Amino acid sequence: WRHRAKLGVGMVCVAGGAALYYYYTGNEYSESECDGKRSRDDPRSATRSTETSRMLVAADELYGLALVYFVPNIKLRVKDSIDVSATIRRLKELKNDHSDDTRSIKVNLWDDIKLSAFSSFLTTVYSLSMASVLLRVQMYILVRDATEVGDGDQPEEDIFKALLEGTYGTFFKTGIESLAGLVKAVVEAKIREWSVERKLKVDFEEVCDIVRDMRDSIEGDVRNIIALLFLPDMEYPFSDAGAQSVGSPMKDSDHQQNNFNGFKSESGVVSALFSQTGQVMQSVIFRTAVEESIEITFGVALNFLRECAFSSPECPGSLHTIPLAGLLPKVKTVTGRLIPENIHQDRAAVESIKEVTAGPRVSELCRRVYSSPESLCDLTPSSSYMTENS
């Protein structure tokens, strides 16, 4: 998987660098378009507004391109961390063996498949949600950095590559595997009594309830999952709740900004980007954005499951029950559908994944990261947002 992940990151760098250059230097509005947007009273303000709008579009386009080459590696890493292929092969070998000697073996094999199906499902949702939020935020940071460099310049590809490798190296190397271990322990405890032999009827509400129960155990504090995936080597990545705001700077941040999860950089630009990334990840608004993204992704995934496993073709709108043995392959199908195989060729697939980070909390976070970098240490949701969404 390391070679495949490295290839994906490399393609992100190539595609991302090209997109950034194109949008920053070649995708200019025509004079007529700009004139139509400018205010007669303050043309400079209108021009700045137009430039900001163009750069925000560039950030989202860059985000879409990065997703194309990034998220397939999440799928591969989850599969590597929760590999049940040998179990499935063994079960197929015993399919026609109905002797008493193999009965207990089959029960154990089905338990492994049950554990794998739900664990892969949850691990994929969490990994996709959190990585997508952070990836979108970083594209906004990069595009803002390009704007600050000056006309005609762009961040060097090495900067783009260093930021991604420094941030997601741990995510792919140990983060997803560590998360999978946590998830598997919770899943095993929650559905221990669900036996393929005895669980002949499962309804959709029952699945939603058990998933919510699992989530409650896993998500006690979503910051723990953020740290597990991205910051396992940092001491005290988050301040103690109640002692100071979550947006407070990391302990020893001046020392750590040149060494992000063991990825060292002598570049002042890269160090600054790492520091900004770390500050964003500590903020209250990042935590609430991640929570929103997780909620959206679970909603999408459960709707997929509802359609493919429980919808009745004879009675549209009604739901039927399904045996556990029939549900498990459907859960696997839904997990795969979250990150489609043809994402490189299918623009609609990319747009569907972008919906994971299309909520108001993530959008506000990205806007503030772009427009107010000086306040990165104090990123809390705006009072108007908190009032509207309380």
Side-chain angles (χ1 to χ4, degrees):
W1 77 270
R2 294 179 182 176
H3 301 292
R4 291 176 294 194
K6 186 178 293 185
L7 174 62
V9 171
M11 293 302 291
V12 168
C13 296
V14 173
L20 191 58
Y21 180 82
Y22 172 74
Y23 273 95
Y24 189 61
T25 64
N27 192 30
E28 299 291 345
Y29 283 95
S30 67
E31 284 299 315
S32 59
E33 289 175 317
C34 290
D35 288 343
K37 297 176 182 292
R38 287 172 182 159
S39 165
R40 292 181 180 178
D41 296 332
D42 190 358
R44 289 177 299 177
S45 175
T47 301
R48 285 194 300 271
S49 177
T50 298
E51 176 68 8
T52 297
S53 297
R54 185 169 64 84
M55 296 309 293
L56 295 182
V57 170
D60 279 326
E61 287 294 324
L62 182 57
Y63 168 55
L65 284 169
L67 284 175
V68 168
Y69 296 101
F70 185 85
V71 297
N73 290 296
I74 295 177
K75 190 173 192 173
L76 293 171
R77 192 62 181 116
V78 171
K79 184 177 180 180
D80 286 341
S81 300
I82 310 173
D83 187 5
V84 75
S85 56
T87 302
I88 294 174
R89 285 196 302 270
R90 180 60 177 152
L91 189 62
K92 288 180 178 179
E93 292 171 359
L94 299 175
K95 181 178 180 180
N96 296 319
D97 187 343
H98 303 292
S99 65
D100 292 339
D101 293 338
T102 60
R103 181 179 174 277
S104 61
I105 296 175
K106 288 182 179 180
V107 169
N108 291 333
L109 292 173
W110 272 113
D111 282 344
D112 288 345
I113 293 173
K114 174 188 68 177
L115 177 61
S116 168
F118 280 97
S119 298
S120 296
F121 173 75
L122 271 74
T123 302
T124 297
V125 169
Y126 286 124
S127 300
L128 178 62
S129 302
M130 296 190 180
S132 296
V133 172
L134 186 57
L135 191 63
R136 187 180 178 197
V137 166
Q138 287 186 313
M139 297 308 102
Y140 274 70
I141 291 175
L142 282 168
V143 170
R144 189 202 67 224
D145 183 71
T147 308
E148 293 172 349
V149 168
D151 289 338
D153 289 324
Q154 60 167 326
E156 296 178 3
E157 185 177 312
D158 287 346
I159 294 175
F160 195 97
K161 182 178 180 181
L163 180 63
L164 291 181
E165 288 187 348
T167 305
Y168 301 100
T170 296
F171 175 75
F172 283 117
K173 185 177 180 181
T174 61
I176 292 178
E177 185 175 6
S178 297
L179 175 62
L182 169 65
V183 169
K184 286 171 69 175
V186 171
V187 170
E188 187 172 21
K190 297 297 182 181
I191 58 173
R192 182 177 290 114
E193 302 303 319
W194 282 30
S195 166
V196 167
E197 285 189 318
R198 298 188 298 273
K199 196 72 172 174
L200 301 181
K201 289 185 178 182
V202 182
D203 62 45
F204 179 64
E205 290 302 321
E206 192 174 8
V207 173
C208 291
D209 289 343
I210 199 70
V211 169
R212 170 52 66 182
D213 193 19
M214 294 173 185
R215 289 184 57 189
D216 288 344
S217 296
I218 295 168
E219 297 172 30
D221 186 339
V222 77
R223 295 179 301 170
N224 294 332
I225 306 179
I226 296 171
L228 190 67
L229 282 172
F230 296 103
L231 307 170
D233 298 327
M234 282 193 174
E235 186 178 8
Y236 310 116
F238 299 102
S239 56
D240 294 334
Q244 50 187 323
S245 83
V246 178
S248 300
M250 292 182 182
K251 295 186 179 182
D252 300 322
S253 60
D254 291 339
H255 169 72
Q256 292 181 351
Q257 67 177 351
N258 289 333
N259 187 343
F260 190 89
N261 279 341
F263 189 94
K264 297 181 180 180
S265 175
E266 301 302 325
S267 166
V269 175
V270 175
S271 296
L273 294 175
F274 281 160
S275 179
Q276 292 166 21
T277 297
Q279 290 168 354
V280 170
M281 291 174 72
Q282 291 176 277
S283 65
V284 173
I285 191 173
F286 182 79
R287 186 192 70 201
T288 59
V290 165
E291 291 170 343
E292 176 188 70
S293 179
I294 290 172
E295 203 65 47
I296 291 173
T297 311
F298 269 112
V300 170
L302 289 173
N303 280 336
F304 285 165
L305 189 62
R306 183 180 187 273
E307 293 170 8
C308 76
F310 295 98
S311 293
S312 175
E314 294 82 12
C315 302
S318 64
L319 302 178
H320 59 74
T321 61
I322 186 174
L324 180 59
L327 173 63
L328 298 180
K330 299 294 186 182
V331 173
K332 181 180 178 182
T333 298
V334 168
T335 302
R337 189 174 171 183
L338 289 172
I339 305 177
E341 295 288 349
N342 62 339
I343 188 172
H344 294 83
Q345 294 83 30
D346 190 349
R347 178 72 180 183
V350 178
E351 294 302 318
S352 69
I353 294 179
K354 288 174 73 173
E355 289 300 313
V356 169
T357 59
R361 297 185 186 183
V362 179
S363 297
E364 184 195 6
L365 170 62
C366 291
R367 286 194 302 269
R368 292 175 67 178
V369 164
Y370 181 85
S371 61
S372 305
E374 68 281 353
S375 63
L376 286 174
C377 288
D378 189 31
L379 279 176
T380 55
S382 62
S383 57
S384 61
Y385 173 81
M386 295 300 287
T387 301
E388 293 169 2
N389 295 274
S390 60

